[in-house]
């Protein structure tokens, strides 16, 4: 949430899943990291899941999904994080991946593989 005028109640920042940004640049960085991390990893894995007849990404939370997650971890470390150097620190990009990774391996988060593709 962008709160450039500091109008929002301070308690809002303490809510789970809420990140309040004070500048447009911070918000733009968040959006850019989301596009690179979330969209990049989904694009990399969705077609494989679809071709293997996994209709949902929830397979990533199963033992069978560990190979997919190793692939995504490697992709993020070797390609996506280095590609974010112009917009954020490696630590910030890694933190975005860790947050997104938790969602991917959550058994009830599953997105449609066909919707993504």
């Amino acid at each position: 949430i962008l709160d450039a005028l500091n109008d929002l109640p301070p308690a809002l920042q303490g809510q789970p899943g809420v990140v309040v940004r004070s500048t447009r640049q911070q918000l733009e960085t968040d959006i850019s990291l989301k596009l690179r991390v979330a969209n990049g990893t989904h694009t990399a894995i969705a077609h494989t899941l679809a071709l293997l007849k996994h209709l949902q990404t929830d397979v990533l939370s199963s033992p069978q999904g560990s190979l997919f997650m190793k692939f995504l971890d490697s992709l993020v470390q070797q390609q996506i994080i280095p590609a974010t150097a112009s917009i954020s620190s490696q630590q910030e990009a890694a933190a975005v991946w860790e947050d997104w990774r938790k969602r991917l391996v959550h058994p009830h988060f599953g997105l449609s593989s066909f919707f993504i593709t």
Side-chain angles (χ1 to χ4, degrees):
I1 299 173
L2 178 60
D3 186 21
L5 301 177
N6 204 24
D7 292 333
L8 296 173
L12 187 61
Q13 272 209 23
Q15 298 301 310
V18 175
V19 177
V20 178
R21 298 299 192 192
S22 59
T23 68
R24 183 165 299 283
Q25 181 58 45
Q26 290 171 319
L27 184 62
E28 288 175 7
T29 298
D30 289 346
I31 293 168
S32 293
L33 285 172
K34 182 264 181 198
L35 288 173
R36 286 163 177 80
V37 171
N39 293 17
T41 54
H42 274 152
T43 299
I45 203 69
H47 292 91
T48 302
L49 293 177
L51 289 170
L52 292 171
K53 300 181 182 175
H54 294 295
L55 302 180
Q56 298 285 320
T57 59
D58 58 358
V59 69
L60 299 175
S61 66
S62 72
Q64 184 181 6
S66 65
L67 181 62
F68 296 125
M69 292 310 299
K70 286 179 185 176
F71 164 70
L72 291 178
D73 286 334
S74 176
L75 174 73
V76 169
Q77 291 302 318
Q78 294 180 17
Q79 295 184 34
I80 295 176
I81 289 177
T84 65
S86 66
I87 61 168
S88 74
S89 68
Q90 287 191 348
Q91 293 81 8
E92 188 174 12
V96 170
W97 168 238
E98 285 306 312
D99 180 60
W100 189 246
R101 191 183 196 290
K102 288 176 190 172
R103 296 178 192 200
L104 286 177
V105 298
H106 191 282
H108 302 294
F109 181 72
L111 299 171
S112 166
S113 300
F114 295 105
F115 173 76
I116 296 168
T117 60

